[in-house]
Amino acid sequence: MAAHGRSALRDLFDESPTPHIAHPPRTHHRDFYVATDGSFRESGGGLGAVIETRDGTRVARIATADAPPDNNVAEYRALHLGLDVLAARAPTNARVGVLVDHDALASNVNNAVLATGHPDRKPPQPISVPAATQYHWRGIQARLNGFAEIRAARIDSDQNPAHPLANAPAKYQHVNREPDRCVLPEPPEATAPAEFPPPSRADRNGGGRASD
């Protein structure tokens, strides 16, 4: 259960692994969190996204039907959509936490982020995206470069609040009629500085590189 006054997405992000990036507590304080999911069915799939501020204010929810060729493409399309919606509502100096239930996508996002800070712009691990997602991956990369800081956490699909939106877009069409909101989170609460990540976080990420 989310702590009182805290975003459910923030809690999920704090408690989930961030592939290739060490996850010390001071990096948890994102300004915005976006959870996305894509679904594929031969009868028709969907894309879902949920965006919140760190203090739990809902910024947007999206549930839209889509016809991706496979599940991988659906996941990339969903993140592209979610980041596009967030970019229209968040300042460019925002710190963003991404939550997806697709291992390779979370890994690719963090590799791309780390590559921007490398002298040769090389990611720590090779980035490989399905050919059919190339257009959407380019769009995702453009959005990654449009925020002050961004990183992705990998969550389980049964924890992903975007999962039902993507899997039953017709049922959740009403969320698309929610009024547009452009909100800023409340100032972060004061926390004691931490020099080292918790042991469980360090172990979970195999001593990965820190980015901020």
Side-chain angles (χ1 to χ4, degrees):
M1 179 179 295
H4 178 68
R6 288 188 57 188
S7 165
L9 293 188
R10 175 180 164 183
D11 286 337
L12 284 173
F13 185 85
D14 285 359
E15 295 163 3
S16 302
T18 52
H20 308 300
I21 296 182
H23 201 349
R26 68 184 180 85
T27 70
H28 293 193
H29 297 157
R30 310 283 99 181
D31 299 307
F32 295 89
Y33 297 86
V34 53
T36 66
D37 194 22
S39 70
F40 164 73
R41 293 185 180 87
E42 292 189 4
S43 59
L47 310 176
V50 178
I51 301 172
E52 294 178 355
T53 65
R54 73 168 155 258
D55 52 29
T57 302
R58 181 186 298 155
V59 177
R61 291 191 297 174
I62 305 101
T64 183
D66 194 36
D70 58 46
N71 188 66
N72 287 324
V73 174
E75 296 285 357
Y76 280 78
R77 285 183 180 179
L79 180 56
H80 190 184
L81 173 63
L83 291 177
D84 278 353
V85 173
L86 176 60
R89 291 163 170 76
T92 56
N93 64 348
R95 294 161 53 91
V96 177
V98 168
L99 299 99
V100 293
D101 55 31
H102 189 279
D103 289 348
L105 178 53
S107 176
N108 284 336
V109 166
N110 288 342
N111 268 311
V113 170
L114 291 174
T116 63
H118 192 280
D120 298 323
R121 301 188 70 84
K122 292 182 178 179
Q125 300 291 331
I127 294 176
S128 177
V129 300
T133 68
Q134 289 290 347
Y135 167 77
H136 296 287
W137 177 242
R138 289 197 297 271
I140 289 169
Q141 287 179 297
R143 292 306 184 192
L144 297 182
N145 293 326
F147 298 107
E149 293 178 11
I150 190 165
R151 63 179 55 193
R154 200 272 303 157
I155 59 176
D156 293 333
S157 61
D158 61 357
Q159 293 181 303
N160 190 344
H163 183 78
L165 305 181
N167 280 269
K171 178 180 178 181
Y172 290 98
Q173 282 184 345
H174 63 277
V175 305
N176 300 310
R177 296 190 293 271
E178 294 174 347
D180 288 345
R181 309 187 72 180
C182 184
V183 296
L184 296 176
E186 293 295 327
E189 65 271 25
T191 56
E195 296 182 1
F196 303 101
S200 61
R201 195 73 67 205
D203 294 341
R204 185 181 296 173
N205 288 277
R209 295 172 54 184
S211 70
D212 57 356

